[in-house]
Amino acid sequence: MTAFSTDPIIAIATAPGRGGIGVIRVSGPDLGAWAERLCAQPLRPRHAHYLPFRDRHGETLDEGLALFFPGPHSYTGEDVLELQGHGGPAVLRRVLEDCLARGADIGLRLAQPGEFTQRAFLNDRLDLAQAEAVADLIEASSTAAARSAMASLSGAFSAEVDALSERIVQLRMLVEATLDFPEEEIDFLEKYQAAERLGGVTAALDGVLRTARQGLVLREGLHVVLAGQPNVGKSSLLNALAGEDIAIVTPIAGTTRDRVVQQIHIEGIPLHIVDTAGLRETEDTVERIGIERSWAEIARAQVILHLQDARHPDDPLDADIVRRLPAGVPVLRVWNKVDLLGHGAGSADRSVPGQSGRHAGREAEDSSDPLLISAHTGAGLDALRARLLAIAGWMPGAESPWLARERHVRALEAAREHLQTAAGHAAHSDQVLDLFAEELRLAHEALCGITGQFTSDDLLGEIFSSFCIGK
């Protein structure tokens, strides 16, 4: 995205493709006179006018509604004109091209991705966290995510951050006033209970950070890769979790040759499940390529679900697979096909023969005990879902009131580190009061980066360029 400009901008604001309604949005300073020339009639603010959309030669291109929103009381804070007509791509393109031609004299140009929302941010209609929530609301893949994105857009997250910032600012004011008048010899840390007040701010920040981590999980979910030998039931498990036949399932080993990706939701949390080719030695060229891609997918996984056949618990090939799994990634060991064992579907006190312990060399990454399931009957799948949520850090029943992004969590963690460092200085004496004040300043800046009070142009460009055009 280029540097901010005040050129009038225009874009189709509805999604590509056919639809009942299509919207063209124009934003810029002092658009009123141009908008009335375009529509060939006066436009009352925030009033829907039904009229024909005629081109500069008088030909009717479409008919629909024109709405004019004078700035600053508009989405962008500038004058905004919206033309709402029929949603066919061809007719929208004709209206758009005519508007561009008739707006050449005022410098009208096509908007870049996210430029309308960027202007809303720069004109103080939204803070940065709210602006990001606009994109999150559009991209929400579950009801829970949409509800939380709407809470962020309404300012719930920003209010929490602003409250923390205000408490830090009050403490900074007292510290810096003391630094300005050292002759008063005030024992600041004791007189103003600085350590206690700092502890209260840190505790409040910890609460916001916990909620932000929940919001991050709700927004981004988990990248889960199904790994294992051929014919252990990876594709059957994918179908069972998805609730539909996504992957082809046959008794023939090596049926899956390339990855199959499906997004599912567990309690509103998106899980990106990847079915991969069975891992084994093979002379088949196509299958070998699929296996190479499987290992590449495993290397990118956030969680590896190692599926094994419960009828063959001591297969040495599974031990070879375990040794090759990347370190530091949670691995769920899942024994499938327990329905074929002939004596139950895996009760809580039952163990798989020969596998009561953990695989050697993977104690740090294996996630608790093995799970016994049947992708065919559905036995054990609820326990598997619960284990995946636990790995994601999701607390059932504790839905985040707002969404968060990775940068929000990093900023909150940075602020907490600075507050902890400040607490260390407070434990000594007023001789380090200037260091105490500096850590408070850095914590305040980290929080302000969330809402955009202190944000680099590069970060703004990265954030808004990910938006869709027209928003």
Side-chain angles (χ1 to χ4, degrees):
M1 178 174 289
T2 59
F4 175 68
S5 73
T6 58
D7 298 338
I9 55 175
I10 185 171
I12 297 173
T14 41
R18 294 179 177 85
I21 296 174
V23 177
I24 292 175
R25 177 177 291 158
V26 188
S27 179
D30 304 319
L31 279 181
W34 178 84
E36 292 189 355
R37 289 198 306 273
L38 182 77
C39 297
Q41 68 178 67
L43 299 176
R44 287 172 51 195
R46 291 172 295 280
H47 180 82
H49 301 80
Y50 180 73
L51 46 80
F53 301 153
R54 293 192 174 93
D55 67 12
R56 54 196 179 279
H57 306 299
E59 179 185 351
T60 299
L61 304 176
D62 194 10
E63 56 184 19
L65 300 178
L67 296 95
F68 182 67
F69 304 90
H73 305 296
S74 69
Y75 178 72
T76 63
E78 304 172 327
D79 290 351
V80 171
L81 173 67
E82 286 193 358
L83 303 177
Q84 302 180 5
H86 295 92
V91 67
L92 282 173
R93 195 160 47 246
R94 291 184 69 196
V95 175
L96 176 69
E97 290 171 354
D98 183 71
C99 288
L100 282 168
R102 297 174 69 178
D105 59 329
I106 62 170
L108 183 65
R109 62 172 174 82
L110 288 171
Q112 300 179 64
E115 193 167 3
F116 289 96
T117 304
Q118 184 190 44
R119 292 188 177 200
F121 164 68
L122 293 172
N123 290 325
D124 296 323
R125 298 293 294 169
L126 301 169
D127 66 34
L128 191 55
Q130 289 175 297
E132 289 169 310
V134 173
D136 292 338
L137 183 60
I138 293 170
E139 296 172 2
S141 58
S142 70
T143 300
R147 185 184 302 115
S148 295
M150 191 63 230
S152 294
L153 180 55
S154 299
F157 182 27
S158 300
E160 297 271 9
V161 172
D162 289 342
L164 287 171
S165 296
E166 180 61 28
R167 293 176 68 174
I168 293 175
V169 166
Q170 290 176 359
L171 194 53
R172 285 184 64 192
M173 289 170 59
L174 294 173
V175 179
E176 292 173 9
T178 303
L179 289 172
D180 288 340
F181 301 100
E183 67 278 1
E184 295 184 8
E185 298 182 356
I186 298 174
D187 188 349
F188 166 81
L189 297 176
E190 292 185 8
K191 180 175 180 178
Y192 293 105
Q193 298 181 315
E196 291 80 0
R197 295 177 69 165
L198 183 60
V201 175
T202 303
L205 190 150
D206 284 342
V208 175
L209 182 55
R210 282 193 298 272
T211 307
R213 285 172 175 154
Q214 292 283 96
L216 180 61
V217 170
L218 187 59
R219 179 181 183 271
E220 298 189 356
L222 274 183
H223 185 69
V224 181
V225 175
L226 307 182
Q229 294 188 55
N231 210 25
V232 293
K234 297 186 298 299
S235 298
S236 296
L237 179 56
L238 174 64
N239 292 343
L241 291 172
E244 56 182 308
D245 291 335
I246 302 299
I248 298 173
V249 176
T250 75
I252 302 171
T255 298
T256 301
R257 297 297 185 97
D258 203 355
R259 68 173 194 158
V260 178
V261 184
Q262 177 67 19
Q263 184 181 87
I264 67 170
H265 291 88
I266 303 176
E267 294 194 18
I269 304 301
L271 298 182
H272 312 285
I273 309 290
V274 183
D275 182 19
T276 60
L279 305 174
R280 66 174 178 179
E281 295 295 329
T282 180
E283 298 299 323
D284 187 294
T285 302
V286 176
E287 186 180 1
R288 188 167 61 250
I289 294 172
I291 292 171
E292 291 173 356
R293 292 182 178 181
S294 295
W295 282 113
E297 198 66 44
I298 289 169
R300 293 192 293 268
Q302 291 178 295
V303 178
I304 298 169
L305 202 158
H306 182 200
L307 204 63
Q308 301 168 67
D309 191 327
R311 299 170 298 173
H312 309 292
D314 298 314
D315 193 322
L317 291 180
D318 283 319
D320 290 339
I321 290 173
V322 168
R323 281 190 287 270
R324 289 191 61 184
L325 295 178
V329 180
V331 177
L332 270 177
R333 290 182 293 148
V334 180
W335 300 94
N336 189 28
K337 304 187 180 182
V338 294
D339 56 306
L340 301 180
L341 292 175
H343 46 86
S347 60
D349 60 348
R350 184 178 178 281
S351 62
V352 177
Q355 296 294 328
S356 58
R358 300 183 187 276
H359 288 298
R362 293 212 57 88
E363 289 85 352
E365 293 83 27
D366 283 346
S367 180
S368 189
D369 296 324
L371 288 167
L372 279 65
I373 70 164
S374 169
H376 177 66
T377 67
L381 292 189
D382 286 343
L384 174 58
R385 294 184 182 100
R387 191 76 65 82
L388 287 170
L389 288 178
I391 291 175
W394 182 254
M395 298 170 59
E399 181 178 319
S400 171
W402 28 261
L403 288 190
R405 296 187 170 203
E406 181 67 33
R407 79 170 194 90
H408 301 154
V409 172
R410 288 201 304 266
L412 290 168
E413 289 172 341
R416 193 184 192 285
E417 289 178 6
H418 290 303
L419 293 183
Q420 287 180 316
T421 304
H425 293 316
H428 294 87
S429 69
D430 282 355
Q431 294 177 355
V432 291
L433 203 56
D434 54 342
L435 299 178
F436 183 84
E438 176 64 9
E439 294 300 331
L440 290 181
R441 184 187 69 80
L442 293 172
H444 182 222
E445 284 193 0
L447 292 178
C448 288
I450 294 174
T451 55
Q453 295 181 44
F454 303 127
T455 310
S456 70
D457 289 342
D458 289 341
L459 177 59
L460 290 180
E462 179 181 342
I463 289 172
F464 288 108
S465 64
S466 67
F467 281 48
C468 56
I469 293 176
K471 201 62 179 178

